[in-house]
Every structure is written in structure tokens, then in C-alpha cells.
Amino acid sequence: MNNNEILEAILQQCIVKDEKMFLTCEIAFKIAKEMDVSISNIGLLCNENNIRIKNCQVGCF
């Protein structure tokens, strides 16, 4: 799975509010599992693309 495909999956699940993008922690973990990538890779892609993780469940973000 390449980063462009992962980023596309992230962007499809993002919530946009006040011109900022958010992804819930629950969805981040779901994407990581479905795409067989690490949650840290999801976090890195979010950081690089100014996507905030919200409602973190386990303190990863």
C-alpha cells in the first residue's frame, strides 16, 4: 500500500470544520487495520497534511 492510497483513504474520512481537517482516532485505527499499515504511519501522514486527530482513545495522538 503506498502513501498516496493511504492518504486518499484518510481524506475520504476526514471531517472539515472551520477550514480545518480532522480525523477521529477510531477511524485512524480502522484505516490502519483495513490497509494493513501502522497507526504511526497514519499519524505521520496526518501530520504532514495538517490533519488533526481528535477524540484519541489511547494517547497516541
mmCIF file of all heavy atoms in Angstrom, residues 21-39:
data_model
loop_
_atom_site.group_PDB
_atom_site.id
_atom_site.type_symbol
_atom_site.label_atom_id
_atom_site.label_comp_id
_atom_site.label_asym_id
_atom_site.label_seq_id
_atom_site.Cartn_x
_atom_site.Cartn_y
_atom_site.Cartn_z
ATOM 1 N N MET A 21 -9.096 20.221 8.837
ATOM 2 C CA MET A 21 -9.468 18.817 8.654
ATOM 3 C C MET A 21 -9.163 18.023 9.920
ATOM 4 O O MET A 21 -8.111 18.210 10.540
ATOM 5 C CB MET A 21 -8.719 18.216 7.470
ATOM 6 C CG MET A 21 -9.156 18.780 6.135
ATOM 7 S SD MET A 21 -8.449 17.896 4.728
ATOM 8 C CE MET A 21 -6.733 18.337 4.884
ATOM 9 N N PHE A 22 -10.096 17.147 10.268
ATOM 10 C CA PHE A 22 -9.975 16.302 11.443
ATOM 11 C C PHE A 22 -10.263 14.854 11.072
ATOM 12 O O PHE A 22 -11.059 14.587 10.187
ATOM 13 C CB PHE A 22 -10.981 16.729 12.523
ATOM 14 C CG PHE A 22 -10.780 18.127 13.023
ATOM 15 C CD1 PHE A 22 -11.427 19.187 12.422
ATOM 16 C CD2 PHE A 22 -9.940 18.368 14.098
ATOM 17 C CE1 PHE A 22 -11.249 20.481 12.875
ATOM 18 C CE2 PHE A 22 -9.754 19.664 14.567
ATOM 19 C CZ PHE A 22 -10.409 20.717 13.953
ATOM 20 N N LEU A 23 -9.640 13.956 11.800
ATOM 21 C CA LEU A 23 -9.897 12.531 11.668
ATOM 22 C C LEU A 23 -10.030 11.989 13.079
ATOM 23 O O LEU A 23 -9.194 12.291 13.939
ATOM 24 C CB LEU A 23 -8.735 11.843 10.948
ATOM 25 C CG LEU A 23 -8.895 10.364 10.623
ATOM 26 C CD1 LEU A 23 -9.945 10.178 9.523
ATOM 27 C CD2 LEU A 23 -7.574 9.773 10.174
ATOM 28 N N THR A 24 -11.066 11.227 13.333
ATOM 29 C CA THR A 24 -11.190 10.664 14.674
ATOM 30 C C THR A 24 -10.177 9.542 14.853
ATOM 31 O O THR A 24 -9.791 8.873 13.895
ATOM 32 C CB THR A 24 -12.608 10.119 14.954
ATOM 33 O OG1 THR A 24 -12.856 9.011 14.091
ATOM 34 C CG2 THR A 24 -13.675 11.189 14.771
ATOM 35 N N CYS A 25 -9.773 9.361 16.075
ATOM 36 C CA CYS A 25 -8.826 8.302 16.408
ATOM 37 C C CYS A 25 -9.387 6.941 16.006
ATOM 38 O O CYS A 25 -8.671 6.100 15.458
ATOM 39 C CB CYS A 25 -8.532 8.353 17.904
ATOM 40 S SG CYS A 25 -7.276 7.193 18.445
ATOM 41 N N GLU A 26 -10.649 6.740 16.268
ATOM 42 C CA GLU A 26 -11.295 5.471 15.926
ATOM 43 C C GLU A 26 -11.162 5.170 14.433
ATOM 44 O O GLU A 26 -10.823 4.055 14.032
ATOM 45 C CB GLU A 26 -12.771 5.526 16.319
ATOM 46 C CG GLU A 26 -13.547 4.297 15.952
ATOM 47 C CD GLU A 26 -15.027 4.405 16.316
ATOM 48 O OE1 GLU A 26 -15.497 5.484 16.707
ATOM 49 O OE2 GLU A 26 -15.709 3.377 16.181
ATOM 50 N N ILE A 27 -11.404 6.175 13.596
ATOM 51 C CA ILE A 27 -11.296 5.990 12.143
ATOM 52 C C ILE A 27 -9.842 5.783 11.738
ATOM 53 O O ILE A 27 -9.547 4.982 10.837
ATOM 54 C CB ILE A 27 -11.936 7.178 11.390
ATOM 55 C CG1 ILE A 27 -13.425 7.272 11.693
ATOM 56 C CG2 ILE A 27 -11.687 7.078 9.901
ATOM 57 C CD1 ILE A 27 -14.242 6.085 11.228
ATOM 58 N N ALA A 28 -8.918 6.476 12.393
ATOM 59 C CA ALA A 28 -7.489 6.297 12.095
ATOM 60 C C ALA A 28 -7.084 4.839 12.319
ATOM 61 O O ALA A 28 -6.408 4.237 11.478
ATOM 62 C CB ALA A 28 -6.647 7.231 12.955
ATOM 63 N N PHE A 29 -7.514 4.262 13.443
ATOM 64 C CA PHE A 29 -7.204 2.863 13.719
ATOM 65 C C PHE A 29 -7.884 1.942 12.711
ATOM 66 O O PHE A 29 -7.299 0.943 12.282
ATOM 67 C CB PHE A 29 -7.617 2.488 15.145
ATOM 68 C CG PHE A 29 -6.546 2.771 16.164
ATOM 69 C CD1 PHE A 29 -6.502 3.978 16.831
ATOM 70 C CD2 PHE A 29 -5.580 1.815 16.451
ATOM 71 C CE1 PHE A 29 -5.520 4.233 17.770
ATOM 72 C CE2 PHE A 29 -4.597 2.059 17.385
ATOM 73 C CZ PHE A 29 -4.559 3.281 18.047
ATOM 74 N N LYS A 30 -9.098 2.261 12.321
ATOM 75 C CA LYS A 30 -9.829 1.448 11.344
ATOM 76 C C LYS A 30 -9.096 1.443 9.996
ATOM 77 O O LYS A 30 -8.922 0.389 9.378
ATOM 78 C CB LYS A 30 -11.243 1.996 11.181
ATOM 79 C CG LYS A 30 -12.084 1.238 10.199
ATOM 80 C CD LYS A 30 -13.468 1.850 10.075
ATOM 81 C CE LYS A 30 -14.235 1.194 8.950
ATOM 82 N NZ LYS A 30 -15.435 1.919 8.593
ATOM 83 N N ILE A 31 -8.656 2.616 9.555
ATOM 84 C CA ILE A 31 -7.929 2.717 8.288
ATOM 85 C C ILE A 31 -6.626 1.914 8.367
ATOM 86 O O ILE A 31 -6.280 1.181 7.438
ATOM 87 C CB ILE A 31 -7.652 4.191 7.920
ATOM 88 C CG1 ILE A 31 -8.963 4.904 7.582
ATOM 89 C CG2 ILE A 31 -6.673 4.288 6.751
ATOM 90 C CD1 ILE A 31 -8.834 6.413 7.453
ATOM 91 N N ALA A 32 -5.908 2.060 9.472
ATOM 92 C CA ALA A 32 -4.645 1.335 9.645
ATOM 93 C C ALA A 32 -4.878 -0.177 9.544
ATOM 94 O O ALA A 32 -4.120 -0.880 8.875
ATOM 95 C CB ALA A 32 -4.018 1.687 10.992
ATOM 96 N N LYS A 33 -5.925 -0.657 10.188
ATOM 97 C CA LYS A 33 -6.210 -2.096 10.161
ATOM 98 C C LYS A 33 -6.615 -2.551 8.763
ATOM 99 O O LYS A 33 -6.111 -3.554 8.256
ATOM 100 C CB LYS A 33 -7.321 -2.425 11.157
ATOM 101 C CG LYS A 33 -7.631 -3.886 11.242
ATOM 102 C CD LYS A 33 -8.677 -4.189 12.289
ATOM 103 C CE LYS A 33 -8.950 -5.679 12.328
ATOM 104 N NZ LYS A 33 -9.940 -6.026 13.332
ATOM 105 N N GLU A 34 -7.527 -1.800 8.137
ATOM 106 C CA GLU A 34 -8.013 -2.187 6.808
ATOM 107 C C GLU A 34 -6.924 -2.162 5.753
ATOM 108 O O GLU A 34 -6.928 -2.961 4.822
ATOM 109 C CB GLU A 34 -9.165 -1.270 6.382
ATOM 110 C CG GLU A 34 -10.442 -1.511 7.146
ATOM 111 C CD GLU A 34 -11.550 -0.533 6.784
ATOM 112 O OE1 GLU A 34 -11.314 0.393 5.976
ATOM 113 O OE2 GLU A 34 -12.654 -0.703 7.321
ATOM 114 N N MET A 35 -5.986 -1.221 5.888
ATOM 115 C CA MET A 35 -4.936 -1.071 4.879
ATOM 116 C C MET A 35 -3.641 -1.767 5.292
ATOM 117 O O MET A 35 -2.651 -1.690 4.568
ATOM 118 C CB MET A 35 -4.719 0.405 4.585
ATOM 119 C CG MET A 35 -5.999 1.088 4.108
ATOM 120 S SD MET A 35 -5.734 2.704 3.430
ATOM 121 C CE MET A 35 -5.527 2.266 1.714
ATOM 122 N N ASP A 36 -3.663 -2.426 6.450
ATOM 123 C CA ASP A 36 -2.520 -3.168 6.962
ATOM 124 C C ASP A 36 -1.256 -2.301 7.045
ATOM 125 O O ASP A 36 -0.192 -2.667 6.543
ATOM 126 C CB ASP A 36 -2.274 -4.415 6.114
ATOM 127 C CG ASP A 36 -1.347 -5.401 6.814
ATOM 128 O OD1 ASP A 36 -1.327 -5.423 8.057
ATOM 129 O OD2 ASP A 36 -0.636 -6.138 6.100
ATOM 130 N N VAL A 37 -1.418 -1.132 7.676
ATOM 131 C CA VAL A 37 -0.289 -0.227 7.921
ATOM 132 C C VAL A 37 -0.280 0.128 9.405
ATOM 133 O O VAL A 37 -1.272 -0.049 10.109
ATOM 134 C CB VAL A 37 -0.362 1.057 7.056
ATOM 135 C CG1 VAL A 37 -0.265 0.726 5.589
ATOM 136 C CG2 VAL A 37 -1.619 1.848 7.346
ATOM 137 N N SER A 38 0.830 0.661 9.861
ATOM 138 C CA SER A 38 0.930 1.016 11.277
ATOM 139 C C SER A 38 0.144 2.299 11.567
ATOM 140 O O SER A 38 -0.013 3.161 10.698
ATOM 141 C CB SER A 38 2.393 1.211 11.680
ATOM 142 O OG SER A 38 2.910 2.378 11.082
ATOM 143 N N ILE A 39 -0.316 2.404 12.786
ATOM 144 C CA ILE A 39 -1.024 3.616 13.201
ATOM 145 C C ILE A 39 -0.073 4.808 13.184
ATOM 146 O O ILE A 39 -0.497 5.936 12.914
ATOM 147 C CB ILE A 39 -1.710 3.421 14.580
ATOM 148 C CG1 ILE A 39 -2.692 4.560 14.866
ATOM 149 C CG2 ILE A 39 -0.696 3.278 15.688
ATOM 150 C CD1 ILE A 39 -3.867 4.621 13.930
#
